[in-house]
Amino acid sequence: VAVSPDGKTFASSSGDRTIKLWNLQTQQLLKTLSGHTAPVSSIAFSPDGKTLVSGGRDKIVKIWNLQTGQLLRSLWGGTEKVQSVAISPNGQILASGNEDKTIKLWNLKTGVLLRTLTGHSDGLEGLAITPDGQVLASSSGDKTIKLWNLNTGQLFRTLEGHTEEIEGMTLTPDGQNLVSGDKDDTRQWSLRTGTLLGIFPKPSGLVRCLAISPDGKFLASGHMDKTVKIWDLKTSKLVKT
């Protein structure tokens, strides 16, 4: 799922190959976007809330006009399924991560491919862009997180330490730290230095997704054992399950 920048709408992607838009307050279904020919893996709102990007197992990235529901553009995401999409804070660059181990950077407005990033040795899992638009973080089945200069495409740091495939990844609201999780543990890193800041207690189930509260105080982790855990981000202590 993804929430619009104004907090009024949320989008859900599904194995039924559609994206649904909902009123966050009333839970009313507003619109259904159809066009993918396989399950939709990832979605992201543009910063102005006017555009939605989706990536699917059909190897396609689609760009939608949210006001009309019209499909604006379809982009070939790679030779395997598209696992993740992210949009830069200025709304100019779209990043898509593929199971073919590559990341593609696109001009969101024109759909022109700007560059392809290579370096991971296994399929991509997650993408995140810092609030200043300078750094792209990518997680992969190769158990690493790579940090890229979004403007030049240069790889400048690899974070190593996970022992299993990284399923969840998110950034703190200030863009200073990154949190990543696998089935064995969840880790917090400094983006500036690459230093491991802390390891959260071993989860009871594989981490599937991570999210941080807007004030940067709490981490929520979703697990395969059907639980959601709330953590104190500063102390790494479990607050609630």
Side-chain angles (χ1 to χ4, degrees):
V1 297
V3 178
S4 62
D6 63 7
K8 294 181 179 180
T9 305
F10 77 94
S12 59
S13 60
S14 172
D16 69 3
R17 302 174 290 183
T18 69
I19 301 142
K20 294 186 183 297
L21 303 176
W22 310 81
N23 182 300
L24 191 57
Q25 185 174 5
T26 67
Q27 289 83 57
Q28 179 185 0
L29 177 62
L30 303 174
K31 200 169 293 179
T32 297
L33 307 179
S34 302
H36 281 284
T37 58
V40 183
S41 308
S42 181
I43 49 179
F45 282 93
S46 62
D48 62 9
K50 295 180 179 180
T51 303
L52 184 84
V53 173
S54 59
R57 294 185 183 181
D58 54 7
K59 310 175 187 178
I60 301 297
V61 176
K62 292 185 179 292
I63 303 173
W64 309 83
N65 180 315
L66 288 183
Q67 294 176 322
T68 65
Q70 178 186 3
L71 175 63
L72 299 177
R73 191 168 282 111
S74 294
L75 309 172
W76 183 72
T79 59
E80 300 292 341
K81 62 184 178 182
V82 178
Q83 286 285 78
S84 52
V85 292
I87 299 175
S88 62
N90 63 8
Q92 295 181 7
I93 298 176
L94 160 65
S96 61
N98 196 280
E99 275 231 326
D100 67 7
K101 311 172 191 177
T102 68
I103 302 164
K104 295 186 183 298
L105 301 181
W106 313 82
N107 181 302
L108 180 61
K109 185 176 181 180
T110 65
V112 172
L113 179 63
L114 303 175
R115 55 175 55 91
T116 299
L117 310 182
T118 58
H120 281 291
S121 60
D122 204 340
L124 270 291
E125 290 293 337
L127 295 173
I129 299 174
T130 54
D132 63 6
Q134 298 298 307
V135 178
L136 169 69
S138 59
S139 63
S140 167
D142 65 11
K143 308 170 189 176
T144 72
I145 297 156
K146 294 188 181 294
L147 305 180
W148 314 79
N149 182 306
L150 187 61
N151 297 310
T152 66
Q154 181 181 2
L155 173 65
F156 66 88
R157 182 170 292 127
T158 298
L159 307 180
E160 299 178 295
H162 279 284
T163 58
E164 297 291 340
E165 179 177 335
I166 301 167
E167 292 281 351
M169 181 181 69
T170 189
L171 302 176
T172 54
D174 59 10
Q176 296 299 305
N177 298 338
L178 178 148
V179 179
S180 55
D182 63 26
K183 74 176 185 180
D184 282 341
D185 59 46
T186 300
R187 297 171 175 242
Q188 184 171 191
W189 314 79
S190 165
L191 285 185
R192 185 175 61 84
T193 65
T195 304
L196 177 63
L197 300 176
I199 300 178
F200 293 80
K202 185 179 177 66
S204 57
L206 172 67
V207 174
R208 293 295 295 172
C209 55
L210 298 168
I212 295 175
S213 59
D215 61 10
K217 293 181 178 180
F218 298 101
L219 168 72
S221 57
H223 301 263
M224 280 291 285
D225 64 0
K226 304 178 182 179
T227 65
V228 175
K229 299 182 186 301
I230 307 297
W231 308 85
D232 184 302
L233 197 57
K234 186 176 182 179
T235 65
S236 301
K237 291 183 178 180
L238 181 64
V239 176
K240 187 180 297 185
T241 298

